[in-house]
Amino acid sequence: MIPTLAPLYLDDEPTTPFHRQLEHLQRVLDGYVMWADPVHIDQPVSDDVDAVIVPDLNGLAYRMVESFRRIDHPILVITSEFGTVSMWDWEIRDHLRRRGVDTIAPTSLAESHDVCRALAVKSQMRNGSMLAYQDDLGAGMQPDIFKRFYWWEDECVGLVTEKLGVTVERRSFRELAARAAAVPEARVDDAWQRWEGRIPILDLSPTARLEAMRLYVALNDELDEAGEVIAAGINCLNESATSPTTPCLAWNLLFEDRGIMWGCEADLTSMLT
């Protein structure tokens, strides 16, 4: 998945400097973005667009602050042929910033590429979900520590959905542990055979491996049933009495297998980062 950018122009019609810089952008960002049709600053921007990009930030911007304020997409300013913000645009950007208009202005081509990748991740999040396995929310081991975490607050979950479109589904760790305990050994053996020799193992007892792989199989089943899951986590240390194993091996295998991000203690904010 790559993001879609809409080139934004300030003049009544796209000018020669605008077209020239857009050609540079299409060259240096090739493979990182898709391009929508150019749009005037006062025209609505499609919801399918991930960000607008300003190839030519000229002096008209000083008189268009309100127009910039109305844009509800990220605003990229990449105005040099090298894929960076031109130093001549610093004053305009500062003028906009002091009036409440934030822009993203990369100072290296690598940073521009990073911004494009970040937009792609943000776009993917809009259709994704995160699973948080937990029951007691800090009431287990070391409650004096674990009750401090923001990601257990409803406010945090609400902001994750509001700002990024990610659905957070809280599930029972106890029910997951029971599902893992019921996994037949034959399924565990089949799963292990697929991994044996592919990962280094040191001082892992057969019993520990069995329990870890039971949890791996159970989580695999849950992920198959859940749909577009981008990350998941378990409140495992705080609720360590729930399961005979930690989920670390299972999560690492699922990352290798499916690219699933995971977080200790179902830490939503770390998984988002």
Side-chain angles (χ1 to χ4, degrees), residues 89-180:
D89 295 326
W90 293 351
E91 187 170 358
I92 298 175
R93 283 195 64 237
D94 187 62
H95 179 88
L96 293 173
R97 181 184 61 80
R98 291 175 182 274
R99 287 154 182 80
V101 177
D102 291 325
T103 59
I104 302 169
T107 57
S108 70
L109 181 57
E111 188 179 347
S112 293
H113 292 166
D114 286 344
V115 168
C116 294
R117 282 193 286 263
L119 288 169
V121 172
K122 185 178 180 183
S123 178
Q124 182 184 10
M125 285 181 175
R126 284 200 295 266
N127 301 313
S129 64
M130 301 173 70
L131 306 183
Y133 291 91
Q134 54 198 24
D135 292 296
D136 295 327
L137 293 177
M141 304 293 291
Q142 297 177 297
D144 55 323
I145 295 175
F146 284 94
K147 283 183 177 291
R148 300 169 184 263
F149 294 142
Y150 179 58
W151 67 84
W152 283 343
E153 298 292 326
D154 290 338
E155 179 186 42
C156 178
V157 174
L159 286 172
V160 166
T161 300
E162 176 188 343
K163 298 296 185 180
L164 296 170
V166 178
T167 301
V168 178
E169 182 180 346
R170 288 169 168 163
R171 295 189 174 192
S172 170
F173 185 20
R174 294 190 187 98
E175 292 177 8
L176 174 64
R179 182 171 189 168

Side-chain angles (χ1 to χ4, degrees), residues 177-231:
R179 182 171 189 168
V183 173
E185 287 196 27
R187 289 195 67 198
V188 174
D189 291 340
D190 288 343
W192 177 247
Q193 287 176 11
R194 295 198 302 272
W195 286 103
E196 191 172 13
R198 294 171 55 191
I199 55 173
I201 295 294
L202 180 66
D203 295 334
L204 184 66
S205 71
T207 300
R209 189 190 71 192
L210 175 66
E211 296 299 338
M213 293 305 294
R214 283 191 197 278
L215 189 56
Y216 165 76
V217 173
L219 283 168
N220 239 331
D221 292 344
E222 297 247 335
L223 292 169
D224 285 340
E225 297 161 4
E228 190 67 26
V229 176
I230 60 173

